[in-house]
Amino acid sequence: MPESWTRVEIDTVIGDYFAMLAQELRGEEHGGRERLGALAERLDCRSEETIELRCRNISAVLLDLGYPYVECYGPAPNYRQPLADAVGARLAADLELERLVARTVAAPADPPPVEDVLSRLTPRPGCAEGDAPPPARREAAVPPVRNAVNYLELETRNTSLSLMGEVFALAYEKARLEEAGCGRLARLVEHVSVTQGDGLGYDILSLEPDGSERFIEVKTTRFGGETPFFVSATELGVSQAKRLAYHTYRVYTYGSNLRLFVLHGDLMSACRMTPVRFAARVR
């Protein structure tokens, strides 16, 4: 089996991946990993395992470029430059995919489901329940950005989506306390980003069964659980000052199969932080 991928092989995998991404954004079924067999037949020197890894590399490139990824292919960041260049070239030519992504991140959000909210909780990506956070991974070099639009950051400005994610988290918190037999405490949970204003560094003030406070910041995306989220300086500072009581609720795949995972404590410890913007003042 040849070690180096040809440009024809790379383009074949990227083309199939982009077709899946477009279908996923339109809410259509695409078969996911079941398509690997058909791709392996077209690329008769490549195994399904190596093709899957290449798809995961494509996911990592797209996230570095500010685009969503196909959810069943969690990002594998250590990709090579020829793949990054090929993905960038394909994005530049695929204006329909760009329009589809732009529409998706700006679309208003429907109200969240209210049934079985506690069943929506999952472990954080890459970990089984109770595991320690995964070790830091060496990041690949970020490919050149072809324009100034980061669609993942743009999604964070969708106030409808943010609000509906918070509404879901509020329902989850009340259900959590009810399940613990703390109905009185459930009635005290406050949506502080609405009642007191956005800017406290958290969105919901909840309680533990023993009556102690739980500070909750909600981050919502329509995309997969490994989509990066954006943190303000205030949120980071509050997560450090209140680290024992601070929780980040990551609501993901909103609108298709809404799920939630929780990060507890200081965000600097719970996440790998990447600076994306600096304030510059003339000397």
Side-chain angles (χ1 to χ4, degrees), residues 7 18 67 85-99 146-147:
R7 184 57 185 261
F18 274 37
Y67 276 76
D85 293 340
V87 171
R90 184 63 180 254
L91 278 178
D94 198 337
L95 298 181
E96 178 55 35
L97 179 65
E98 182 164 12
R99 284 192 287 267
R146 63 190 181 88
N147 59 38

Side-chain angles (χ1 to χ4, degrees), residues 59-69 91 101-102 105 142-155 223 227-228 230:
S59 295
V61 176
L62 288 172
L63 289 179
D64 283 340
L65 287 169
Y67 276 76
Y69 67 99
L91 278 178
V101 173
V105 301
V142 177
V145 177
R146 63 190 181 88
N147 59 38
V149 179
N150 182 322
Y151 289 105
L152 304 180
E153 185 176 7
L154 193 61
E155 186 189 41
F223 309 126
T227 303
F230 294 82

Side-chain angles (χ1 to χ4, degrees), residues 8-124:
V8 171
E9 289 177 318
I10 290 174
D11 286 345
T12 298
V13 176
I14 292 174
D16 193 72
Y17 184 106
F18 274 37
M20 283 189 288
L21 180 57
Q23 288 175 285
E24 197 164 284
L25 292 170
R26 290 193 293 263
E28 301 169 359
E29 295 292 333
H30 55 63
R33 288 191 173 92
E34 296 174 3
R35 300 167 68 131
L36 289 172
L39 267 176
E41 290 181 5
R42 293 169 63 187
L43 306 173
D44 57 6
C45 290
R46 302 295 174 187
S47 67
E48 291 186 23
E49 290 76 13
T50 58
I51 296 171
E52 179 178 358
L53 177 58
R54 202 58 64 238
C55 288
R56 294 179 61 219
N57 289 149
I58 294 169
S59 295
V61 176
L62 288 172
L63 289 179
D64 283 340
L65 287 169
Y67 276 76
Y69 67 99
V70 175
E71 191 198 353
C72 67
Y73 292 114
N78 295 326
Y79 52 79
R80 296 183 178 179
Q81 196 60 46
L83 180 67
D85 293 340
V87 171
R90 184 63 180 254
L91 278 178
D94 198 337
L95 298 181
E96 178 55 35
L97 179 65
E98 182 164 12
R99 284 192 287 267
L100 185 56
V101 173
R103 287 198 301 269
T104 301
V105 301
D110 294 326
V114 294
E115 72 284 354
D116 300 324
V117 292
L118 294 179
S119 69
R120 307 285 176 154
L121 181 67
T122 68
R124 64 185 177 275

